[in-house]
Amino acid sequence: MNSKEKVGEVNKIADEQDELNKALGEFRLSVHAWSEAAYSRTRTAVVLSPRRVWRQAIGWALGCVLVAGGASAGVWEHYQRQQEMRITAAHAAVQQRQAVQKQEQQTRQEKEDLPAKDDLLAKVDKDVSREVPAAMEPLGQLMAEDEAQ
Amino acid sequence: MAMAEEIGAEEFSAVVAQHRQQIFRFLLASTRDVDLAETLTQDCFLKAHRNWASFRGESSAMTWLMRIAINLQKDHWRNRRMQFWRHARANAVDLGEAGEWLPSGERSAEQQLLAQERVRQVGKAVEGLSERQRTVFLLRYVEEAELSEIARATGLSEGTVKAHLSRAVAKVRAELGGRR
């Protein structure tokens, strides 16, 4: 690298440094101006009148009541359904228990009645067997007449 | 409350009047959001008022306030990164847009356009810097703070500040070099 090239390189670096310094200075000025404008801008503050505050409060209160009412109605409905289902289930259980008891009672009654019925049938058979010969007598006489002829 | 009594209202008002604009400017350049910068500036002075007793005068009030502002800004991004970063980004403007505020001075229209373009390039480079590099860069080149002041405000050593600054300037230089 000869001296001319060296000088050119140095000048180039110096130019770059100048441009950097210039850019940084301009950046600083821009940020300062931007900040000053933002800092001194007019600000609007919303002041709520007492009437508006009351209206807002009432609105919020009504909203809260509606939400609470809706939620409690849902809970109440759910509770009622649960109660109905519980009562229906209890009724069904009582009816089932009664049906089983009735069935058992019938079976027991039938078992108790069975010996008496057998005795009655035996008595009837005995009475009938005793009466049959007398009842069959005319038929026997007829048969004897036929044999004689 | 007891701490707050250690500085009089008038004295604190004077501190606010003296430093508020500079704190706001730093926060505005850092966040690029006017509303957020205003909120953080208010928080900064509120915190300063509450903790005035802990200010021992080892550094200037400005450096102490700047340290509070840097911490508030860090906390803000840490807290909001997950939940509201989209909202925050939507409010932030491009730092290069600051070029529109560049005073024309004695420049011709063409020179003004070129200057605005340079500001846009610097703004773009600054947006690409890491949080720490950006803080150091803005304190040095916008607030024109000394390295020792930057070190005290950021809690870094002067060597670390120099290293961050050097990297930041290299990136700005590269951005400006790429333009040509």
Side-chain angles (χ1 to χ4, degrees), chain A residues 16-17 19-20 22-24 26-39 41 43, chain B residues 20-21 24-25 28 34-35 38 93 98 101-102 115 118-119 122 137 141-142 144 173 179-180:
Chain A
E16 276 181 6
Q17 190 59 41
E19 188 162 0
L20 178 69
K22 204 195 285 181
L24 291 174
E26 287 160 351
F27 180 71
R28 183 176 62 249
L29 282 176
S30 299
V31 173
H32 278 232
W34 176 35
S35 159
E36 211 164 298
Y39 188 77
R41 73 187 167 139
R43 293 162 178 83
Chain B
R20 190 174 173 184
Q21 194 163 357
F24 172 75
R25 183 170 58 223
L28 179 64
V34 177
D35 294 332
E38 273 188 359
V93 297
W101 296 97
L102 180 67
R118 277 193 293 270
V119 171
V122 176
F137 180 89
Y141 291 106
V142 176
E144 297 179 283
R173 197 195 295 272
R179 186 173 62 86
R180 278 175 299 177

Side-chain angles (χ1 to χ4, degrees), chain B residues 23-166:
Chain B
I23 294 291
F24 172 75
R25 183 170 58 223
F26 167 75
L27 288 168
L28 179 64
S30 298
T31 62
R32 296 175 283 129
D33 183 334
V34 177
D35 294 332
L36 179 58
E38 273 188 359
T39 306
L40 291 179
T41 305
Q42 294 218 8
D43 288 350
C44 176
F45 283 101
L46 189 66
K47 209 169 176 181
H49 188 257
R50 279 182 186 156
N51 298 293
W52 192 260
S54 66
F55 174 54
R56 291 185 292 272
E58 288 165 352
S59 59
S60 68
M62 184 63 222
T63 307
W64 186 65
L65 289 168
M66 197 57 90
R67 185 165 193 156
I68 295 174
I70 290 167
N71 288 333
L72 278 171
Q73 181 207 332
K74 264 193 224 165
D75 289 348
H76 172 80
W77 290 120
R78 204 175 297 144
N79 295 341
R80 300 286 172 109
R81 196 170 287 148
M82 299 307 289
Q83 304 100 309
F84 299 115
W85 66 274
R86 281 170 210 216
H87 173 70
R89 287 285 138 196
N91 281 355
V93 297
D94 195 346
L95 194 52
E97 282 178 23
E100 288 167 21
W101 296 97
L102 180 67
S104 58
E106 291 174 358
R107 278 185 285 262
S108 67
E110 192 188 351
Q111 284 171 333
Q112 178 72 2
L113 277 175
L114 283 170
Q116 283 179 344
E117 177 60 16
R118 277 193 293 270
V119 171
R120 202 183 62 76
Q121 295 289 329
V122 176
K124 194 180 165 192
V126 171
E127 278 174 24
L129 298 176
S130 71
E131 193 184 306
R132 200 166 274 182
Q133 285 174 354
R134 187 165 51 242
T135 300
V136 168
F137 180 89
L138 291 174
L139 287 173
R140 181 75 187 101
Y141 291 106
V142 176
E143 301 307 327
E144 297 179 283
E146 295 297 327
L147 290 179
S148 56
E149 281 180 287
I150 299 172
R152 273 197 294 272
T154 54
L156 301 170
S157 70
E158 274 195 44
T160 312
V161 169
K162 269 186 200 170
H164 281 308
L165 204 52
S166 163

Side-chain angles (χ1 to χ4, degrees), chain A residues 44-58:
Chain A
T44 49
V46 181
V47 180
L48 295 176
S49 65
R51 206 172 170 188
R52 204 168 151 192
V53 170
W54 272 111
R55 212 177 297 159
Q56 274 190 347
I58 289 167

